[in-house]
PDB file of all heavy atoms in Angstrom:
ATOM      1  N   VAL L   1      89.949  93.396 104.353  1.00 98.00           N
ATOM      2  CA  VAL L   1      90.882  94.206 105.069  1.00 98.00           C
ATOM      3  C   VAL L   1      92.264  93.646 104.984  1.00 98.00           C
ATOM      4  O   VAL L   1      93.173  94.353 104.585  1.00 98.00           O
ATOM      5  CB  VAL L   1      90.426  94.295 106.570  1.00 98.00           C
ATOM      6  CG1 VAL L   1      91.424  95.090 107.364  1.00 98.00           C
ATOM      7  CG2 VAL L   1      89.037  94.955 106.643  1.00 98.00           C
ATOM      8  N   ALA L   2      92.445  92.396 105.372  1.00 98.00           N
ATOM      9  CA  ALA L   2      93.782  91.841 105.404  1.00 98.00           C
ATOM     10  C   ALA L   2      93.643  90.344 105.470  1.00 98.00           C
ATOM     11  O   ALA L   2      92.659  89.779 105.838  1.00 98.00           O
ATOM     12  CB  ALA L   2      94.584  92.327 106.610  1.00 98.00           C
ATOM     13  N   ALA L   3      94.683  89.637 104.998  1.00 97.00           N
ATOM     14  CA  ALA L   3      94.777  88.160 105.001  1.00 97.00           C
ATOM     15  C   ALA L   3      96.210  87.731 105.265  1.00 97.00           C
ATOM     16  O   ALA L   3      97.186  88.450 104.996  1.00 97.00           O
ATOM     17  CB  ALA L   3      94.268  87.617 103.714  1.00 97.00           C
ATOM     18  N   ILE L   4      96.309  86.540 105.806  1.00 96.00           N
ATOM     19  CA  ILE L   4      97.598  85.986 106.166  1.00 96.00           C
ATOM     20  C   ILE L   4      97.571  84.476 105.779  1.00 96.00           C
ATOM     21  O   ILE L   4      96.612  83.767 105.930  1.00 96.00           O
ATOM     22  CB  ILE L   4      97.994  86.210 107.582  1.00 96.00           C
ATOM     23  CG1 ILE L   4      99.377  85.788 107.911  1.00 96.00           C
ATOM     24  CG2 ILE L   4      96.997  85.495 108.530  1.00 96.00           C
ATOM     25  CD1 ILE L   4      99.842  86.245 109.262  1.00 96.00           C
ATOM     26  N   SER L   5      98.688  83.963 105.234  1.00 94.00           N
ATOM     27  CA  SER L   5      98.735  82.592 104.759  1.00 94.00           C
ATOM     28  C   SER L   5      98.834  81.658 106.036  1.00 94.00           C
ATOM     29  O   SER L   5      99.059  82.190 107.125  1.00 94.00           O
ATOM     30  CB  SER L   5      99.987  82.393 103.926  1.00 94.00           C
ATOM     31  OG  SER L   5     101.103  82.693 104.610  1.00 94.00           O
ATOM     32  N   TRP L   6      98.733  80.402 105.796  1.00 91.00           N
ATOM     33  CA  TRP L   6      98.669  79.448 106.881  1.00 91.00           C
ATOM     34  C   TRP L   6      99.973  79.497 107.731  1.00 91.00           C
ATOM     35  O   TRP L   6      99.970  79.358 108.914  1.00 91.00           O
ATOM     36  CB  TRP L   6      98.430  78.019 106.363  1.00 91.00           C
ATOM     37  CG  TRP L   6      99.615  77.503 105.536  1.00 91.00           C
ATOM     38  CD1 TRP L   6      99.797  77.599 104.243  1.00 91.00           C
ATOM     39  CD2 TRP L   6     100.706  76.720 106.086  1.00 91.00           C
ATOM     40  NE1 TRP L   6     100.953  77.032 103.858  1.00 91.00           N
ATOM     41  CE2 TRP L   6     101.546  76.467 104.958  1.00 91.00           C
ATOM     42  CE3 TRP L   6     101.093  76.222 107.346  1.00 91.00           C
ATOM     43  CZ2 TRP L   6     102.732  75.698 105.044  1.00 91.00           C
ATOM     44  CZ3 TRP L   6     102.251  75.483 107.407  1.00 91.00           C
ATOM     45  CH2 TRP L   6     103.073  75.265 106.317  1.00 91.00           C
ATOM     46  N   SER L   7     101.105  79.777 107.069  1.00 90.00           N
ATOM     47  CA  SER L   7     102.353  79.817 107.718  1.00 90.00           C
ATOM     48  C   SER L   7     102.692  81.165 108.318  1.00 90.00           C
ATOM     49  O   SER L   7     103.632  81.322 109.094  1.00 90.00           O
ATOM     50  CB  SER L   7     103.514  79.480 106.814  1.00 90.00           C
ATOM     51  OG  SER L   7     103.574  80.419 105.794  1.00 90.00           O
ATOM     52  N   GLY L   8     101.939  82.161 107.926  1.00 89.00           N
ATOM     53  CA  GLY L   8     102.243  83.558 108.310  1.00 89.00           C
ATOM     54  C   GLY L   8     103.188  84.268 107.389  1.00 89.00           C
ATOM     55  O   GLY L   8     103.501  85.377 107.617  1.00 89.00           O
ATOM     56  N   GLY L   9     103.739  83.530 106.387  1.00 91.00           N
ATOM     57  CA  GLY L   9     104.753  84.122 105.567  1.00 91.00           C
ATOM     58  C   GLY L   9     104.303  85.060 104.530  1.00 91.00           C
ATOM     59  O   GLY L   9     105.099  85.813 103.994  1.00 91.00           O
ATOM     60  N   ILE L  10     102.989  85.005 104.240  1.00 94.00           N
ATOM     61  CA  ILE L  10     102.485  85.972 103.186  1.00 94.00           C
ATOM     62  C   ILE L  10     101.303  86.715 103.849  1.00 94.00           C
ATOM     63  O   ILE L  10     100.405  86.173 104.414  1.00 94.00           O
ATOM     64  CB  ILE L  10     101.991  85.133 101.988  1.00 94.00           C
ATOM     65  CG1 ILE L  10     103.146  84.389 101.269  1.00 94.00           C
ATOM     66  CG2 ILE L  10     101.292  86.204 100.997  1.00 94.00           C
ATOM     67  CD1 ILE L  10     102.702  83.498 100.221  1.00 94.00           C
ATOM     68  N   THR L  11     101.356  87.999 103.630  1.00 96.00           N
ATOM     69  CA  THR L  11     100.277  88.854 104.087  1.00 96.00           C
ATOM     70  C   THR L  11      99.806  89.836 102.936  1.00 96.00           C
ATOM     71  O   THR L  11     100.623  90.187 102.139  1.00 96.00           O
ATOM     72  CB  THR L  11     100.617  89.712 105.312  1.00 96.00           C
ATOM     73  OG1 THR L  11     101.814  90.528 104.963  1.00 96.00           O
ATOM     74  CG2 THR L  11     100.968  88.897 106.542  1.00 96.00           C
ATOM     75  N   VAL L  12      98.531  90.085 102.893  1.00 97.00           N
ATOM     76  CA  VAL L  12      98.020  91.140 101.912  1.00 97.00           C
ATOM     77  C   VAL L  12      97.085  91.962 102.650  1.00 97.00           C
ATOM     78  O   VAL L  12      96.450  91.620 103.603  1.00 97.00           O
ATOM     79  CB  VAL L  12      97.292  90.326 100.773  1.00 97.00           C
ATOM     80  CG1 VAL L  12      98.304  89.520  99.902  1.00 97.00           C
ATOM     81  CG2 VAL L  12      96.233  89.354 101.264  1.00 97.00           C
ATOM     82  N   TYR L  13      96.982  93.216 102.118  1.00 97.00           N
ATOM     83  CA  TYR L  13      96.210  94.234 102.732  1.00 97.00           C
ATOM     84  C   TYR L  13      95.376  95.027 101.707  1.00 97.00           C
ATOM     85  O   TYR L  13      95.817  95.124 100.559  1.00 97.00           O
ATOM     86  CB  TYR L  13      97.032  95.229 103.501  1.00 97.00           C
ATOM     87  CG  TYR L  13      97.866  94.672 104.623  1.00 97.00           C
ATOM     88  CD1 TYR L  13      99.137  94.209 104.447  1.00 97.00           C
ATOM     89  CD2 TYR L  13      97.291  94.619 105.924  1.00 97.00           C
ATOM     90  CE1 TYR L  13      99.879  93.624 105.520  1.00 97.00           C
ATOM     91  CE2 TYR L  13      97.977  94.072 106.945  1.00 97.00           C
ATOM     92  CZ  TYR L  13      99.301  93.579 106.761  1.00 97.00           C
ATOM     93  OH  TYR L  13      99.994  93.021 107.801  1.00 97.00           O
ATOM     94  N   ALA L  14      94.210  95.497 102.105  1.00 97.00           N
ATOM     95  CA  ALA L  14      93.507  96.487 101.289  1.00 97.00           C
ATOM     96  C   ALA L  14      94.331  97.731 101.272  1.00 97.00           C
ATOM     97  O   ALA L  14      95.013  98.132 102.217  1.00 97.00           O
ATOM     98  CB  ALA L  14      92.107  96.701 101.911  1.00 97.00           C
ATOM     99  N   ASP L  15      94.186  98.464 100.171  1.00 97.00           N
ATOM    100  CA  ASP L  15      94.968  99.683  99.986  1.00 97.00           C
ATOM    101  C   ASP L  15      94.586 100.699 101.108  1.00 97.00           C
ATOM    102  O   ASP L  15      95.415 101.492 101.545  1.00 97.00           O
ATOM    103  CB  ASP L  15      94.712 100.343  98.638  1.00 97.00           C
ATOM    104  CG  ASP L  15      95.382  99.580  97.525  1.00 97.00           C
ATOM    105  OD1 ASP L  15      96.338  98.752  97.785  1.00 97.00           O
ATOM    106  OD2 ASP L  15      94.998  99.754  96.361  1.00 97.00           O
ATOM    107  N   SER L  16      93.323 100.630 101.507  1.00 97.00           N
ATOM    108  CA  SER L  16      92.851 101.661 102.491  1.00 97.00           C
ATOM    109  C   SER L  16      93.471 101.461 103.914  1.00 97.00           C
ATOM    110  O   SER L  16      93.409 102.404 104.712  1.00 97.00           O
ATOM    111  CB  SER L  16      91.340 101.563 102.602  1.00 97.00           C
ATOM    112  OG  SER L  16      90.890 100.225 103.000  1.00 97.00           O
ATOM    113  N   VAL L  17      94.087 100.294 104.167  1.00 98.00           N
ATOM    114  CA  VAL L  17      94.620 100.058 105.505  1.00 98.00           C
ATOM    115  C   VAL L  17      96.114  99.811 105.425  1.00 98.00           C
ATOM    116  O   VAL L  17      96.723  99.717 106.523  1.00 98.00           O
ATOM    117  CB  VAL L  17      93.944  98.883 106.227  1.00 98.00           C
ATOM    118  CG1 VAL L  17      92.392  99.055 106.209  1.00 98.00           C
ATOM    119  CG2 VAL L  17      94.263  97.531 105.588  1.00 98.00           C
ATOM    120  N   LYS L  18      96.701  99.665 104.303  1.00 98.00           N
ATOM    121  CA  LYS L  18      98.145  99.417 104.151  1.00 98.00           C
ATOM    122  C   LYS L  18      98.951 100.451 104.834  1.00 98.00           C
ATOM    123  O   LYS L  18      98.654 101.612 104.719  1.00 98.00           O
ATOM    124  CB  LYS L  18      98.453  99.298 102.722  1.00 98.00           C
ATOM    125  CG  LYS L  18      99.800  98.596 102.411  1.00 98.00           C
ATOM    126  CD  LYS L  18      99.951  98.430 100.876  1.00 98.00           C
ATOM    127  CE  LYS L  18      98.928  97.572 100.254  1.00 98.00           C
ATOM    128  NZ  LYS L  18      99.142  97.374  98.807  1.00 98.00           N
ATOM    129  N   GLY L  19      99.843  99.986 105.654  1.00 97.00           N
ATOM    130  CA  GLY L  19     100.749 100.873 106.408  1.00 97.00           C
ATOM    131  C   GLY L  19     100.180 101.286 107.769  1.00 97.00           C
ATOM    132  O   GLY L  19     100.854 101.863 108.656  1.00 97.00           O
ATOM    133  N   ARG L  20      98.853 100.977 108.003  1.00 98.00           N
ATOM    134  CA  ARG L  20      98.196 101.302 109.277  1.00 98.00           C
ATOM    135  C   ARG L  20      97.896 100.071 110.100  1.00 98.00           C
ATOM    136  O   ARG L  20      97.940 100.015 111.278  1.00 98.00           O
ATOM    137  CB  ARG L  20      97.044 102.146 109.067  1.00 98.00           C
ATOM    138  CG  ARG L  20      97.217 103.447 108.333  1.00 98.00           C
ATOM    139  CD  ARG L  20      95.973 104.318 108.318  1.00 98.00           C
ATOM    140  NE  ARG L  20      94.830 103.689 107.595  1.00 98.00           N
ATOM    141  CZ  ARG L  20      93.684 103.400 108.174  1.00 98.00           C
ATOM    142  NH1 ARG L  20      93.422 103.711 109.384  1.00 98.00           N
ATOM    143  NH2 ARG L  20      92.727 102.835 107.440  1.00 98.00           N
ATOM    144  N   PHE L  21      97.460  98.973 109.346  1.00 98.00           N
ATOM    145  CA  PHE L  21      97.022  97.735 110.016  1.00 98.00           C
ATOM    146  C   PHE L  21      98.026  96.666 109.806  1.00 98.00           C
ATOM    147  O   PHE L  21      98.778  96.622 108.714  1.00 98.00           O
ATOM    148  CB  PHE L  21      95.740  97.303 109.374  1.00 98.00           C
ATOM    149  CG  PHE L  21      94.472  98.086 109.648  1.00 98.00           C
ATOM    150  CD1 PHE L  21      94.640  99.355 110.271  1.00 98.00           C
ATOM    151  CD2 PHE L  21      93.243  97.611 109.366  1.00 98.00           C
ATOM    152  CE1 PHE L  21      93.529 100.164 110.582  1.00 98.00           C
ATOM    153  CE2 PHE L  21      92.091  98.374 109.614  1.00 98.00           C
ATOM    154  CZ  PHE L  21      92.242  99.613 110.207  1.00 98.00           C
ATOM    155  N   THR L  22      98.205  95.808 110.810  1.00 98.00           N
ATOM    156  CA  THR L  22      99.126  94.618 110.621  1.00 98.00           C
ATOM    157  C   THR L  22      98.417  93.401 111.087  1.00 98.00           C
ATOM    158  O   THR L  22      97.852  93.339 112.207  1.00 98.00           O
ATOM    159  CB  THR L  22     100.411  94.862 111.503  1.00 98.00           C
ATOM    160  OG1 THR L  22     101.030  96.056 111.150  1.00 98.00           O
ATOM    161  CG2 THR L  22     101.322  93.648 111.394  1.00 98.00           C
ATOM    162  N   ILE L  23      98.443  92.426 110.227  1.00 98.00           N
ATOM    163  CA  ILE L  23      97.826  91.079 110.541  1.00 98.00           C
ATOM    164  C   ILE L  23      98.905  90.137 110.959  1.00 98.00           C
ATOM    165  O   ILE L  23     100.057  90.150 110.354  1.00 98.00           O
ATOM    166  CB  ILE L  23      96.996  90.487 109.365  1.00 98.00           C
ATOM    167  CG1 ILE L  23      96.186  89.277 109.766  1.00 98.00           C
ATOM    168  CG2 ILE L  23      97.923  90.248 108.167  1.00 98.00           C
ATOM    169  CD1 ILE L  23      95.223  88.792 108.709  1.00 98.00           C
ATOM    170  N   SER L  24      98.678  89.291 111.905  1.00 97.00           N
ATOM    171  CA  SER L  24      99.613  88.295 112.423  1.00 97.00           C
ATOM    172  C   SER L  24      98.894  87.153 112.966  1.00 97.00           C
ATOM    173  O   SER L  24      97.658  87.188 113.217  1.00 97.00           O
ATOM    174  CB  SER L  24     100.512  88.918 113.532  1.00 97.00           C
ATOM    175  OG  SER L  24      99.822  89.238 114.685  1.00 97.00           O
ATOM    176  N   ARG L  25      99.630  86.027 113.163  1.00 96.00           N
ATOM    177  CA  ARG L  25      98.977  84.822 113.692  1.00 96.00           C
ATOM    178  C   ARG L  25      99.956  84.054 114.558  1.00 96.00           C
ATOM    179  O   ARG L  25     101.182  84.166 114.421  1.00 96.00           O
ATOM    180  CB  ARG L  25      98.467  83.950 112.531  1.00 96.00           C
ATOM    181  CG  ARG L  25      99.575  83.271 111.719  1.00 96.00           C
ATOM    182  CD  ARG L  25      98.900  82.593 110.506  1.00 96.00           C
ATOM    183  NE  ARG L  25      98.101  81.429 110.875  1.00 96.00           N
ATOM    184  CZ  ARG L  25      97.092  80.883 110.101  1.00 96.00           C
ATOM    185  NH1 ARG L  25      96.976  81.412 108.913  1.00 96.00           N
ATOM    186  NH2 ARG L  25      96.408  79.956 110.507  1.00 96.00           N
ATOM    187  N   ASP L  26      99.315  83.377 115.510  1.00 95.00           N
ATOM    188  CA  ASP L  26     100.109  82.454 116.326  1.00 95.00           C
ATOM    189  C   ASP L  26      99.492  81.066 116.284  1.00 95.00           C
ATOM    190  O   ASP L  26      98.431  80.896 116.955  1.00 95.00           O
ATOM    191  CB  ASP L  26     100.139  83.006 117.719  1.00 95.00           C
ATOM    192  CG  ASP L  26     101.016  82.191 118.719  1.00 95.00           C
ATOM    193  OD1 ASP L  26     101.309  80.999 118.419  1.00 95.00           O
ATOM    194  OD2 ASP L  26     101.418  82.736 119.754  1.00 95.00           O
ATOM    195  N   ASN L  27     100.008  80.226 115.528  1.00 92.00           N
ATOM    196  CA  ASN L  27      99.362  78.930 115.322  1.00 92.00           C
ATOM    197  C   ASN L  27      99.386  77.962 116.591  1.00 92.00           C
ATOM    198  O   ASN L  27      98.586  77.197 116.762  1.00 92.00           O
ATOM    199  CB  ASN L  27     100.074  78.112 114.184  1.00 92.00           C
ATOM    200  CG  ASN L  27      99.659  78.720 112.798  1.00 92.00           C
ATOM    201  OD1 ASN L  27      98.754  79.484 112.669  1.00 92.00           O
ATOM    202  ND2 ASN L  27     100.379  78.324 111.792  1.00 92.00           N
ATOM    203  N   ALA L  28     100.373  78.261 117.462  1.00 92.00           N
ATOM    204  CA  ALA L  28     100.421  77.562 118.741  1.00 92.00           C
ATOM    205  C   ALA L  28      99.284  77.924 119.585  1.00 92.00           C
ATOM    206  O   ALA L  28      98.880  77.097 120.469  1.00 92.00           O
ATOM    207  CB  ALA L  28     101.752  77.799 119.435  1.00 92.00           C
ATOM    208  N   LYS L  29      98.755  79.158 119.494  1.00 93.00           N
ATOM    209  CA  LYS L  29      97.658  79.639 120.316  1.00 93.00           C
ATOM    210  C   LYS L  29      96.359  79.674 119.508  1.00 93.00           C
ATOM    211  O   LYS L  29      95.379  80.117 120.103  1.00 93.00           O
ATOM    212  CB  LYS L  29      98.007  80.998 120.878  1.00 93.00           C
ATOM    213  CG  LYS L  29      99.201  81.032 121.800  1.00 93.00           C
ATOM    214  CD  LYS L  29      99.437  82.401 122.360  1.00 93.00           C
ATOM    215  CE  LYS L  29     100.686  82.426 123.298  1.00 93.00           C
ATOM    216  NZ  LYS L  29     100.889  83.812 123.855  1.00 93.00           N
ATOM    217  N   ASN L  30      96.401  79.237 118.325  1.00 94.00           N
ATOM    218  CA  ASN L  30      95.191  79.310 117.457  1.00 94.00           C
ATOM    219  C   ASN L  30      94.527  80.712 117.384  1.00 94.00           C
ATOM    220  O   ASN L  30      93.350  80.841 117.578  1.00 94.00           O
ATOM    221  CB  ASN L  30      94.148  78.332 117.953  1.00 94.00           C
ATOM    222  CG  ASN L  30      94.348  76.906 117.435  1.00 94.00           C
ATOM    223  OD1 ASN L  30      95.474  76.634 116.965  1.00 94.00           O
ATOM    224  ND2 ASN L  30      93.333  76.071 117.517  1.00 94.00           N
ATOM    225  N   THR L  31      95.378  81.739 117.266  1.00 96.00           N
ATOM    226  CA  THR L  31      94.864  83.080 117.192  1.00 96.00           C
ATOM    227  C   THR L  31      95.413  83.773 115.952  1.00 96.00           C
ATOM    228  O   THR L  31      96.518  83.551 115.478  1.00 96.00           O
ATOM    229  CB  THR L  31      95.274  83.904 118.464  1.00 96.00           C
ATOM    230  OG1 THR L  31      96.713  83.864 118.598  1.00 96.00           O
ATOM    231  CG2 THR L  31      94.592  83.282 119.656  1.00 96.00           C
ATOM    232  N   VAL L  32      94.563  84.756 115.521  1.00 97.00           N
ATOM    233  CA  VAL L  32      95.056  85.702 114.483  1.00 97.00           C
ATOM    234  C   VAL L  32      94.647  87.033 114.950  1.00 97.00           C
ATOM    235  O   VAL L  32      93.627  87.239 115.518  1.00 97.00           O
ATOM    236  CB  VAL L  32      94.428  85.346 113.116  1.00 97.00           C
ATOM    237  CG1 VAL L  32      92.928  85.389 113.159  1.00 97.00           C
ATOM    238  CG2 VAL L  32      94.911  86.234 112.012  1.00 97.00           C
ATOM    239  N   ASN L  33      95.537  88.030 114.756  1.00 98.00           N
ATOM    240  CA  ASN L  33      95.357  89.344 115.311  1.00 98.00           C
ATOM    241  C   ASN L  33      95.339  90.380 114.217  1.00 98.00           C
ATOM    242  O   ASN L  33      95.994  90.159 113.126  1.00 98.00           O
ATOM    243  CB  ASN L  33      96.495  89.652 116.332  1.00 98.00           C
ATOM    244  CG  ASN L  33      96.494  88.679 117.528  1.00 98.00           C
ATOM    245  OD1 ASN L  33      95.488  88.493 118.133  1.00 98.00           O
ATOM    246  ND2 ASN L  33      97.644  88.045 117.706  1.00 98.00           N
ATOM    247  N   LEU L  34      94.736  91.511 114.478  1.00 98.00           N
ATOM    248  CA  LEU L  34      94.774  92.628 113.592  1.00 98.00           C
ATOM    249  C   LEU L  34      95.067  93.901 114.442  1.00 98.00           C
ATOM    250  O   LEU L  34      94.237  94.334 115.190  1.00 98.00           O
ATOM    251  CB  LEU L  34      93.479  92.784 112.871  1.00 98.00           C
ATOM    252  CG  LEU L  34      93.447  93.888 111.797  1.00 98.00           C
ATOM    253  CD1 LEU L  34      94.322  93.481 110.571  1.00 98.00           C
ATOM    254  CD2 LEU L  34      91.979  94.127 111.316  1.00 98.00           C
ATOM    255  N   GLN L  35      96.300  94.359 114.284  1.00 98.00           N
ATOM    256  CA  GLN L  35      96.700  95.596 114.969  1.00 98.00           C
ATOM    257  C   GLN L  35      96.324  96.736 114.072  1.00 98.00           C
ATOM    258  O   GLN L  35      96.767  96.816 112.934  1.00 98.00           O
ATOM    259  CB  GLN L  35      98.205  95.590 115.251  1.00 98.00           C
ATOM    260  CG  GLN L  35      98.736  96.848 115.901  1.00 98.00           C
ATOM    261  CD  GLN L  35      98.191  97.037 117.309  1.00 98.00           C
ATOM    262  OE1 GLN L  35      98.104  96.150 118.112  1.00 98.00           O
ATOM    263  NE2 GLN L  35      97.828  98.314 117.547  1.00 98.00           N
ATOM    264  N   MET L  36      95.487  97.631 114.634  1.00 98.00           N
ATOM    265  CA  MET L  36      94.992  98.758 113.833  1.00 98.00           C
ATOM    266  C   MET L  36      95.505 100.078 114.432  1.00 98.00           C
ATOM    267  O   MET L  36      95.142 100.362 115.596  1.00 98.00           O
ATOM    268  CB  MET L  36      93.472  98.717 113.821  1.00 98.00           C
ATOM    269  CG  MET L  36      92.864  97.429 113.353  1.00 98.00           C
ATOM    270  SD  MET L  36      91.106  97.488 113.056  1.00 98.00           S
ATOM    271  CE  MET L  36      90.572  97.727 114.811  1.00 98.00           C
ATOM    272  N   ASN L  37      96.278 100.846 113.720  1.00 98.00           N
ATOM    273  CA  ASN L  37      96.805 102.094 114.156  1.00 98.00           C
ATOM    274  C   ASN L  37      96.271 103.219 113.223  1.00 98.00           C
ATOM    275  O   ASN L  37      95.784 102.966 112.219  1.00 98.00           O
ATOM    276  CB  ASN L  37      98.358 102.052 114.094  1.00 98.00           C
ATOM    277  CG  ASN L  37      98.937 100.984 115.001  1.00 98.00           C
ATOM    278  OD1 ASN L  37      98.374 100.673 116.046  1.00 98.00           O
ATOM    279  ND2 ASN L  37     100.061 100.430 114.580  1.00 98.00           N
ATOM    280  N   SER L  38      96.482 104.385 113.753  1.00 98.00           N
ATOM    281  CA  SER L  38      96.011 105.586 113.028  1.00 98.00           C
ATOM    282  C   SER L  38      94.534 105.474 112.496  1.00 98.00           C
ATOM    283  O   SER L  38      94.327 105.809 111.324  1.00 98.00           O
ATOM    284  CB  SER L  38      96.996 105.899 111.839  1.00 98.00           C
ATOM    285  OG  SER L  38      98.266 106.058 112.342  1.00 98.00           O
ATOM    286  N   LEU L  39      93.738 105.022 113.327  1.00 98.00           N
ATOM    287  CA  LEU L  39      92.344 104.808 112.924  1.00 98.00           C
ATOM    288  C   LEU L  39      91.661 106.106 112.536  1.00 98.00           C
ATOM    289  O   LEU L  39      91.872 107.145 113.171  1.00 98.00           O
ATOM    290  CB  LEU L  39      91.535 104.146 114.090  1.00 98.00           C
ATOM    291  CG  LEU L  39      91.950 102.647 114.250  1.00 98.00           C
ATOM    292  CD1 LEU L  39      91.504 102.094 115.616  1.00 98.00           C
ATOM    293  CD2 LEU L  39      91.275 101.811 113.211  1.00 98.00           C
ATOM    294  N   ASN L  40      90.758 106.015 111.592  1.00 97.00           N
ATOM    295  CA  ASN L  40      89.982 107.233 111.190  1.00 97.00           C
ATOM    296  C   ASN L  40      88.551 106.827 111.112  1.00 97.00           C
ATOM    297  O   ASN L  40      88.108 105.671 111.272  1.00 97.00           O
ATOM    298  CB  ASN L  40      90.518 107.768 109.822  1.00 97.00           C
ATOM    299  CG  ASN L  40      90.507 106.683 108.742  1.00 97.00           C
ATOM    300  OD1 ASN L  40      89.446 106.074 108.476  1.00 97.00           O
ATOM    301  ND2 ASN L  40      91.655 106.456 108.079  1.00 97.00           N
ATOM    302  N   LEU L  41      87.738 107.816 110.868  1.00 97.00           N
ATOM    303  CA  LEU L  41      86.237 107.581 110.915  1.00 97.00           C
ATOM    304  C   LEU L  41      85.831 106.527 109.960  1.00 97.00           C
ATOM    305  O   LEU L  41      84.825 105.786 110.222  1.00 97.00           O
ATOM    306  CB  LEU L  41      85.544 108.920 110.615  1.00 97.00           C
ATOM    307  CG  LEU L  41      85.811 110.097 111.560  1.00 97.00           C
ATOM    308  CD1 LEU L  41      85.050 111.307 111.059  1.00 97.00           C
ATOM    309  CD2 LEU L  41      85.433 109.754 112.979  1.00 97.00           C
ATOM    310  N   GLU L  42      86.461 106.450 108.809  1.00 96.00           N
ATOM    311  CA  GLU L  42      86.058 105.397 107.731  1.00 96.00           C
ATOM    312  C   GLU L  42      86.414 104.011 108.182  1.00 96.00           C
ATOM    313  O   GLU L  42      85.960 103.070 107.456  1.00 96.00           O
ATOM    314  CB  GLU L  42      86.759 105.774 106.385  1.00 96.00           C
ATOM    315  CG  GLU L  42      86.308 107.069 105.796  1.00 96.00           C
ATOM    316  CD  GLU L  42      86.704 108.318 106.404  1.00 96.00           C
ATOM    317  OE1 GLU L  42      87.872 108.325 107.034  1.00 96.00           O
ATOM    318  OE2 GLU L  42      85.934 109.250 106.469  1.00 96.00           O
ATOM    319  N   ASP L  43      87.137 103.791 109.274  1.00 98.00           N
ATOM    320  CA  ASP L  43      87.405 102.448 109.755  1.00 98.00           C
ATOM    321  C   ASP L  43      86.255 101.827 110.597  1.00 98.00           C
ATOM    322  O   ASP L  43      86.259 100.683 110.947  1.00 98.00           O
ATOM    323  CB  ASP L  43      88.706 102.438 110.519  1.00 98.00           C
ATOM    324  CG  ASP L  43      89.877 102.750 109.721  1.00 98.00           C
ATOM    325  OD1 ASP L  43      89.994 102.282 108.564  1.00 98.00           O
ATOM    326  OD2 ASP L  43      90.774 103.540 110.175  1.00 98.00           O
ATOM    327  N   THR L  44      85.298 102.716 110.909  1.00 98.00           N
ATOM    328  CA  THR L  44      84.144 102.229 111.694  1.00 98.00           C
ATOM    329  C   THR L  44      83.390 101.126 110.950  1.00 98.00           C
ATOM    330  O   THR L  44      82.936 101.387 109.798  1.00 98.00           O
ATOM    331  CB  THR L  44      83.162 103.420 111.993  1.00 98.00           C
ATOM    332  OG1 THR L  44      83.851 104.369 112.796  1.00 98.00           O
ATOM    333  CG2 THR L  44      81.930 102.885 112.761  1.00 98.00           C
ATOM    334  N   ALA L  45      83.169 100.004 111.540  1.00 98.00           N
ATOM    335  CA  ALA L  45      82.608  98.887 110.898  1.00 98.00           C
ATOM    336  C   ALA L  45      82.526  97.707 111.946  1.00 98.00           C
ATOM    337  O   ALA L  45      83.152  97.752 112.972  1.00 98.00           O
ATOM    338  CB  ALA L  45      83.324  98.447 109.686  1.00 98.00           C
ATOM    339  N   VAL L  46      81.782  96.773 111.543  1.00 98.00           N
ATOM    340  CA  VAL L  46      81.858  95.436 112.201  1.00 98.00           C
ATOM    341  C   VAL L  46      83.004  94.663 111.532  1.00 98.00           C
ATOM    342  O   VAL L  46      82.963  94.490 110.278  1.00 98.00           O
ATOM    343  CB  VAL L  46      80.557  94.624 112.148  1.00 98.00           C
ATOM    344  CG1 VAL L  46      80.711  93.295 112.805  1.00 98.00           C
ATOM    345  CG2 VAL L  46      79.462  95.487 112.869  1.00 98.00           C
TER     346      VAL L  46
END
């Protein structure tokens, strides 16, 4: 779906989610997030 480098400076996306999903990370909080917008039926998954 998406990936982010250790620094957060590089992100890559699958074509199917590009422009709709955004990956981000907060190393101070040990978290990585995936904001998903404009969801469609094909996004249903684990």
Side-chain angles (χ1 to χ4, degrees):
V1 175
I4 188 167
S5 62
W6 67 273
S7 67
I10 299 173
T11 57
V12 291
Y13 297 93
D15 289 344
S16 59
V17 307
K18 197 174 297 182
R20 301 188 297 122
F21 291 11
T22 302
I23 188 171
S24 62
R25 69 187 297 161
D26 185 339
N27 286 346
K29 296 182 179 179
N30 276 19
T31 58
V32 59
N33 301 305
L34 186 68
Q35 178 66 41
M36 306 186 296
N37 299 329
S38 302
L39 287 161
N40 57 53
L41 300 179
E42 290 71 34
D43 295 318
T44 294
V46 177

